[in-house]
Every structure is written in structure tokens, then in C-alpha cells.
Amino acid sequence: MAVDGLTRNMLVYVDGSEECIAAAQAAIIMAKKHSANLFALYVVNVSLLEELLKARILVKLEEMDYRQDLERDGRRYLHYVAELARKKGVEMHTELVKGVVNREVVKYIQEKGIDLLFMGEFETIRSAKDTHYDEAAWIFRKAECSILIVKQTDKIERIYNNLE
Amino acid sequence: MMISKFLDESLITVSVEQKEKPVIIGELLDLAFRSGKISDRDAALKALLDREKLMSTGLENGIAVPHAKTAAVKDIVMAFGISPGGIDFHSADGKPSQLFFLLLAPENAAGPNVQVLAQIARLTNLESFRKELIGARSPAAALEIIRKAEY
């Protein structure tokens, strides 16, 4: 049974990493147990491409090419996690948007009334400078809902596999 | 995404000696090829030179970032070169290029590829980093400067 304000609407932030797959599995487990509405979001990092275009590292043709690549990758990741949910009888609503990653995730949380955000474990070794550009870290700081950072990926996978 | 994780001393030269753009790219490519990370040197070179035809990857402030996507690599591959005296690389500001970041990425790694390019842009935006790196006298010293800047 879903708990309003805590487990009614759940969101998985999908970034294509192995860690986000574990986050999706954990979200599917929880969504099934709590009969929650489950969402998955991928953001095409358009701002980064624009940064590279401005720095003249990319030319316009390349920027468009990368944009298509990132969009295609994002759809593939979303399809993959939606399939993980479907296999366990859970409906997952997926969405791909474009923009500044952390802003789009925060906006989506507000728009959908997300209670709980699932994210993959952050990289273990990080520099202070690198963290500044880490979208996951920004989401962690700016999101208004509760956040569940999924660790122990092997254990989560086992629980997911045993979920009936 | 830290670039130092894609570099080791064998992938760095502090004395780029060639003077022609395609040969400089070839010299850096050879560093990466010797590491065994490139399956087809000719295909990788063609991808890099095709990219140069769109617009020179010689940027401002002595930086050049020759890069391309190619099926000749399975993961991101980098090589790095320094020319203390500078070389004409048809740069955006017309000044000689001194720091060369060569980057090859597989076709299906747009996300990490973009992250690495962004990291190069951010690092080389710092004048102190550029100056220190140009002064590196060995691959080990250059690698240490990059690592220090990233941590």
C-alpha cells in the first residue's frame, strides 16, 4: 500500500551507468511492494554540448550528431529499465527530456509530485573540482523530495531476481 | 570525468617534433597505437583527419584537441603531447599550439566522450594549468600536473 508523501510516486534517475540499473531494480521492488506509481527520467545533457560548441571543441555538425547519439542512448536506457519493470509486472512511465540535467530532474520531481527519488551510487573517488560538474551531486543537493541512494548492487539484483 | 584515468606515461610526449598537422596527429596516434588500444591505425587516422576537414581542432591559447569517433577503438583512448615552442595547427586565434590532447572514442560512447571533451575544456581554460603543463619536462611530470589539477 502506497504511503502518501513517501511512496506514492517514485522516480528513477537514469544516466546510463551500471549504478542506475541497480537504482531502477530497487525502485521496481519498492514500487511493487507499495503499489506506487513509477517513473524513469533521462536527460540529454544539451548544456554540455552547448558548452563544447562555445569552446569551439565541437562544430555544429558534430554537436547535432552527438545530440542524436545521446538521445538514442537515452531511449535505449529507458527501454531497458522499462523492460526490467515489465518483467516484474510493474508499469514504468519513461520520459526523455533535454536541458541542464539537474534542473530538468528537479523540475520533473515538482511537476509529477515525486515523493521518492532513486539514484545510483556516486563514484567513490571524486575530486572537489569534479564534483562541481557532477550532475548527480547537484540533483542530490537540489531535489526537494527524499532520495534513496542505492548501494549493494549485488544484493539488490538478487532481491529483484527473486521478486515475484 | 577525469582525463588522467585515460593517460599513462607511455601515452604522453613532451617533445612533439613534427611540424605538419597530419604528421603531428600521426605522432600522437602512434603513442596510442603502441599501447594496443587501437585495432586499425589507418581507420583511426582517417577519422581524425576527416574531423580536421570540418574545422581545425586548434583552439585558442595554444590548445589543440584532435578528436574523432571511430570503430577502431572499444573504449575512450587518449594521447597527449607538448610542444614547448609551439606549432602551427591552424588554431582559432592564429597562435601556435603547444598542448595537444588527442581523443578517440567508440561510436557508442557519446556520453563519456562528451564528458571527457568537457573536462579538457575546463582544465585548459585555466592559465596557470596551461603554463605549468607547457613547462613539464617529462611524461611523468606532465601526468602529475594533470592529476593535481583534477584532484
Side-chain angles (χ1 to χ4, degrees):
Chain A
M1 192 72 174
V3 180
D4 246 347
L6 185 61
T7 61
R8 174 74 65 192
N9 296 319
M10 299 179 180
L11 171 67
V12 189
Y13 165 59
V14 176
D15 63 1
S17 66
E18 286 180 19
E19 290 77 13
C20 85
I21 301 303
Q25 289 172 329
I28 292 163
I29 296 162
M30 295 280 278
K32 192 171 176 83
K33 297 285 183 194
H34 291 270
S35 303
N37 299 315
L38 183 57
F39 302 84
L41 179 67
Y42 178 90
V43 185
V44 178
N45 197 341
V46 172
S47 62
L48 196 56
L49 292 174
E50 286 167 354
E51 190 184 315
L52 291 171
L53 194 61
K54 197 174 163 192
R56 301 173 62 111
I57 289 181
L58 295 183
V59 295
K60 188 65 188 168
L61 194 65
E62 276 183 301
E63 191 257 357
M64 289 162 64
D65 189 36
Y66 277 112
R67 199 179 279 238
Q68 285 176 352
D69 285 352
L70 291 174
E71 193 168 332
R72 185 197 59 221
D73 290 348
R75 295 202 186 286
R76 198 175 72 236
Y77 301 141
L78 288 173
H79 177 73
Y80 183 79
V81 294
E83 274 299 295
L84 289 177
R86 190 191 60 77
K87 284 176 187 169
K88 299 299 177 183
V90 175
E91 189 182 0
M92 180 184 271
H93 309 276
T94 62
E95 194 156 351
L96 181 143
V97 297
K98 299 169 190 174
V100 177
V101 177
N102 67 79
R103 279 188 215 156
E104 292 299 326
V105 174
V106 169
K107 191 168 90 179
Y108 193 84
I109 287 168
Q110 289 167 345
E111 284 173 1
K112 300 290 181 186
I114 299 297
D115 306 312
L116 187 58
L117 169 66
F118 288 77
M119 296 174 71
E121 187 174 3
F122 296 174
E123 286 183 37
T124 48
I125 302 169
R126 303 207 66 85
S127 67
K129 288 169 193 165
D130 206 30
T131 302
H132 179 74
Y133 297 103
D134 186 335
E135 292 292 343
W138 278 110
I139 293 166
F140 184 78
R141 286 193 284 255
K142 289 169 69 176
E144 290 176 0
C145 67
S146 296
I147 299 174
L148 199 156
I149 305 292
V150 177
K151 299 190 177 190
Q152 298 178 299
T153 55
D154 290 346
K155 191 162 115 181
I156 297 298
E157 190 175 5
R158 274 200 305 278
I159 299 169
Y160 168 83
N161 287 335
N162 293 330
L163 186 69
E164 291 183 356
Chain B
M1 178 88 59
M2 287 186 273
I3 61 171
S4 52
K5 79 176 205 181
F6 299 106
L7 290 170
D8 61 41
E9 289 179 35
S10 72
L11 294 166
I12 297 174
T13 174
V14 295
S15 55
V16 174
E17 289 170 358
Q18 307 298 335
K19 297 291 176 195
E20 297 291 325
K21 184 192 260 198
V23 193
I24 295 165
I25 291 174
E27 184 183 348
L28 291 170
L29 183 61
D30 282 339
L31 291 177
F33 185 65
R34 282 196 290 270
S35 73
K37 294 173 179 173
I38 300 172
S39 61
D40 184 339
R41 184 191 182 278
D42 291 344
L45 181 60
K46 182 178 184 310
L48 288 161
L49 295 180
D50 283 349
R51 167 58 186 84
E52 290 299 321
K53 284 178 194 165
L54 293 176
M55 190 171 84
S56 177
T57 57
L59 310 174
E60 295 172 344
N61 300 316
I63 307 299
V65 190
H67 63 272
K69 290 192 288 186
T70 171
V73 297
K74 286 198 167 74
D75 198 358
I76 285 175
V77 173
M78 282 192 73
F80 171 65
I82 302 172
S83 168
I87 295 166
D88 178 18
F89 208 76
H90 309 134
S91 64
D93 60 4
K95 293 178 182 170
S97 300
Q98 294 172 285
L99 302 173
F100 300 86
F101 295 85
L102 182 137
L103 173 67
L104 289 167
E107 305 274 1
N108 61 350
N113 188 3
V114 167
Q115 295 284 347
V116 170
L117 288 170
Q119 178 71 345
I120 293 170
R122 287 164 190 153
L123 285 175
T124 56
N125 209 26
L126 301 168
E127 188 182 3
S128 57
F129 173 74
R130 295 195 303 267
K131 278 187 176 171
E132 200 177 357
L133 202 49
I134 289 165
R137 292 290 168 260
S138 70
L143 189 56
E144 185 54 31
I145 290 164
I146 295 170
R147 282 188 179 141
K148 199 176 74 182
E150 292 195 307
Y151 281 91

